[in-house]
Amino acid sequence: MRKNTIVRAKAFKSGYKPSFVKSVPINFVDPKINGINYTVYEGEWKDRPDIKKITPVSSGRVYQFHVKPIKRREDYVAVIFKSYIEIDVGGDYTFYSSANDGSVLSIDGTVVVDNAGYSGKKVDNGKI
């Protein structure tokens, strides 16, 4: 079974002190099980759309929380991402969301960041 790992490297040259250790995480991505599921909704609304009343127009999987690779129209579109997060150590965590025309970030049904209805680019954060 393949697992995520961390690669550590250090440079050596005769006559010089060794370099600092550089660590890089390598994440194994299996497209059959890894990724972020998304659903695209289209309509016309002034405020936050009621997703329960809108029929999805497409869905799929991406590997980052970003709408750029998703085929969609420019205006009056809502993209819902659903994924899992693995947290190895308990504690308080701060999450960030950035969007042009609003975003809502929920974890386990708890709204952590609510930028819905905002017009213009905004970055906000919340702790959970």
Side-chain angles (χ1 to χ4, degrees):
M1 178 176 200
R2 298 180 195 169
K3 291 184 176 183
N4 296 340
T5 190
I6 296 177
V7 174
R8 292 179 180 88
K10 190 176 210 179
F12 297 91
K13 184 172 182 180
S14 181
Y16 292 88
K17 291 183 178 182
S19 71
F20 292 102
V21 174
K22 176 67 176 177
S23 299
V24 177
I26 305 296
N27 297 315
F28 173 71
V29 176
D30 181 346
K32 294 177 185 169
I33 58 173
N34 297 117
I36 303 163
N37 295 316
Y38 69 85
T39 306
V40 177
Y41 299 85
E42 295 176 350
E44 290 196 25
W45 49 77
K46 285 188 175 185
D47 296 314
R48 183 184 317 197
D50 186 351
I51 297 301
K52 295 175 188 166
K53 295 180 180 179
I54 306 171
T55 303
V57 295
S58 67
S59 63
R61 185 176 288 171
V62 291
Y63 297 99
Q64 293 181 351
F65 288 103
H66 201 293
V67 297
K68 191 172 186 175
I70 299 172
K71 186 176 179 181
R72 74 210 183 288
R73 68 184 192 187
E74 287 298 314
D75 293 320
Y76 298 104
V77 62
V79 180
I80 306 295
F81 292 102
K82 288 190 178 183
S83 187
Y84 293 95
I85 183 170
E86 182 178 327
I87 297 177
D88 295 326
V89 178
D92 291 337
Y93 288 85
T94 301
F95 291 85
Y96 295 84
S97 174
S98 173
N100 284 349
D101 291 324
S103 65
V104 177
L105 172 68
S106 298
I107 298 177
D108 260 352
T110 299
V111 174
V112 179
V113 178
D114 189 345
N115 290 333
Y118 182 85
S119 183
K121 187 165 176 79
K122 182 176 180 182
V123 177
D124 209 348
N125 67 73
K127 287 185 180 184
I128 189 168

